Amino acid sequence: MTVDLAPLWLTARLATVTTLILLAVGVPLAGWIAHSRSRFKPVFETLIAMPLVLPPSVLGFYLLMALSPARSLGAWLHARLGVDLVFSFPGLVAGSVLFSLPFMVQPLQAALTNLPDSLREAAYTLGKSRPAAFWQVELPCVRPALVAGTVMAFAHTVGEFGLVLMLGGNIPGVTRVASIAIYNEVEALNYGAAHLYAAILCSFSFAVVLAVHLLRRRTEGGA
């Protein structure tokens, strides 16, 4: 039995792009939250953590409403930037970044918070600026947390279903990721194809998680 590989490649592409964006956004955000003394810090922490407790379909619904061309934000994006995020791959990326954000930010934030203040103070004494101290001194000290956040964000994106279905629909080659393909095959009572999709996805996820865990173990051993 053969299956269409397009949903698998689309899933890998979505997870990769989402993880790269989360590395660019989540790492500095985790650093800011870890060191911030703002009285609004609990509000930001709560907003970032919301996807952990919200049903994916709820977040997908509100993103669908906000980004629809019939709404002000969606109409502005279409008119000004020529971007349509609803039922498109870029829309899936935007939703996945928001949905997986806490999986990148929280491990890093916890690790950065546990670093001794003397580490940053020593960096400042040596003439490093705050950004330089963060990127050159603090971040290398929390490499295991960075690896953990990366794999958690990647794996979480691979397993998305409700948000993808709500925001992206089920468009072959565009938004039909592996989880949606499995659902389609089950609905069609094609359990053989569903099993094959699921087995490939399980094997792929296991290989990725195992590789990252081995890398983290090697990093910790060399630290």
Side-chain angles (χ1 to χ4, degrees):
M1 179 182 294
T2 60
V3 296
D4 183 11
L5 295 179
L8 298 171
W9 288 116
L10 189 62
T11 300
R13 181 184 168 204
L14 176 62
T16 300
V17 173
T18 298
T19 303
L20 291 175
I21 294 175
L22 285 172
L23 282 169
V25 175
V27 172
L29 181 58
W32 178 80
I33 293 176
H35 302 316
S36 175
R37 297 182 178 178
S38 170
R39 61 179 178 176
F40 298 109
K41 177 178 176 178
V43 176
F44 288 108
E45 290 179 312
T46 301
L47 289 174
I48 291 173
M50 284 288 285
L52 294 175
V53 295
L54 272 180
S57 56
V58 172
L59 181 59
F61 170 74
Y62 282 117
L63 286 175
L64 178 64
M65 293 295 98
L67 299 176
S68 170
R71 304 281 179 164
S72 56
L73 178 58
W76 183 86
L77 289 172
H78 178 78
R80 297 286 183 173
L81 305 178
V83 175
D84 292 311
L85 295 181
V86 174
F87 305 125
S88 68
F89 182 79
L92 290 188
V93 172
S96 298
V97 167
L98 290 176
F99 194 49
S100 296
L101 186 61
F103 293 88
M104 177 66 75
V105 171
Q106 290 190 342
L108 272 175
Q109 179 190 345
L112 290 167
T113 301
N114 289 329
L115 289 177
D117 293 336
S118 58
L119 189 66
R120 278 180 293 133
E121 292 170 357
Y124 298 154
T125 302
L126 294 174
K128 293 188 179 295
S129 64
R130 288 189 175 183
F134 174 73
W135 292 104
Q136 299 174 17
V137 178
E138 293 182 87
L139 199 58
C141 292
V142 296
R143 282 179 295 179
L146 179 61
V147 172
T150 301
V151 66
M152 289 173 66
F154 187 94
H156 188 249
T157 304
V158 168
E160 286 179 11
F161 177 78
L163 181 142
V164 170
L165 186 61
M166 186 69 70
L167 183 60
N170 185 13
I171 305 174
V174 180
T175 62
R176 182 182 290 175
V177 295
S179 58
I180 304 297
I182 293 172
Y183 178 76
N184 285 343
E185 299 297 350
V186 172
E187 274 201 322
L189 302 180
N190 192 358
Y191 297 120
H195 172 70
L196 192 53
Y197 271 124
I200 293 173
L201 202 57
C202 285
S203 301
F204 176 74
S205 300
F206 178 83
V208 170
V209 173
L210 178 62
V212 174
H213 277 306
L214 292 175
L215 177 61
R216 184 176 64 176
R217 185 175 179 180
R218 181 179 178 182
T219 301
E220 290 173 340

